[in-house]
Amino acid sequence: MTTTYALLLRGINVSGHRKLPMAELRALLEGLGHTGVRTYLQSGNAAFTTDADASGDALAAAVEKEIERRLGFRCDCLVRDGAYLAAVADACPFPAGELEGKQLHAVYYSAPVAPDRFAAVDAESFAPEAFALGDRVMYLYTPDGLGRSKLAEAVMRPSLTKGLVATARNWNTVRKLVEMTA
């Protein structure tokens, strides 16, 4: 069975560090036997199709291993199928259609996240910013953008994300990944 997936890389091509040209990422994925490889932006988003009978976690581990072998650095990756990405977009508790893409983000996690992990965050003190948890995702509403968000800073603290891979995408990218994996 052929499945289309999105690959989300964490922390590449940021401030000139951990450089991974998208042409090289496409070649890497094709070298792993994936087809229909496409990338989006320079920040580590790709879509690919595979016949491999493997979980998203196994596919991500193979990409991580190949990046380290080829480029000499470790890069956390998440792989999610198109159905999951569409479900995340559909379940958004915020009015995504009314907001600018920079105002809404999906923070994808490597595993389910229990609400008690964020119990110490006084969400009301950050209003109008807000967050909500979903299936291995946090929806993050930041009206002034992620870079200026105090709530994003609070919920992305290493102590709260310990043991998880977490990577954020703005809503424009969320929509594009849904489109690329449909």
Side-chain angles (χ1 to χ4, degrees), residues 63-83:
V63 172
E64 290 172 355
K65 183 178 177 181
E66 189 64 8
I67 288 172
E68 189 165 12
R69 185 186 76 75
R70 284 187 183 205
L71 302 170
F73 62 82
R74 175 130 170 55
C75 177
D76 290 326
C77 302
L78 297 177
V79 173
R80 298 291 185 256
D81 68 32

Side-chain angles (χ1 to χ4, degrees), residues 41-135:
L41 301 176
Q42 297 296 313
S43 56
N45 303 292
F48 64 90
T49 302
T50 188
D51 292 328
D53 186 23
S55 69
D57 290 343
L59 293 168
V63 172
E64 290 172 355
K65 183 178 177 181
E66 189 64 8
I67 288 172
E68 189 165 12
R69 185 186 76 75
R70 284 187 183 205
L71 302 170
F73 62 82
R74 175 130 170 55
C75 177
D76 290 326
C77 302
L78 297 177
V79 173
R80 298 291 185 256
D81 68 32
Y84 169 82
L85 294 172
V88 164
D90 291 345
C92 181
F94 299 105
E98 300 170 20
L99 301 172
E100 293 179 43
K102 70 174 187 166
Q103 294 179 306
L104 185 59
H105 293 77
V107 181
Y108 296 99
Y109 294 105
S110 56
V113 180
D116 63 337
R117 186 179 282 253
F118 300 99
V121 176
D122 179 14
E124 289 182 17
S125 69
F126 295 98
E129 296 183 344
F131 75 95
L133 294 174
D135 175 20

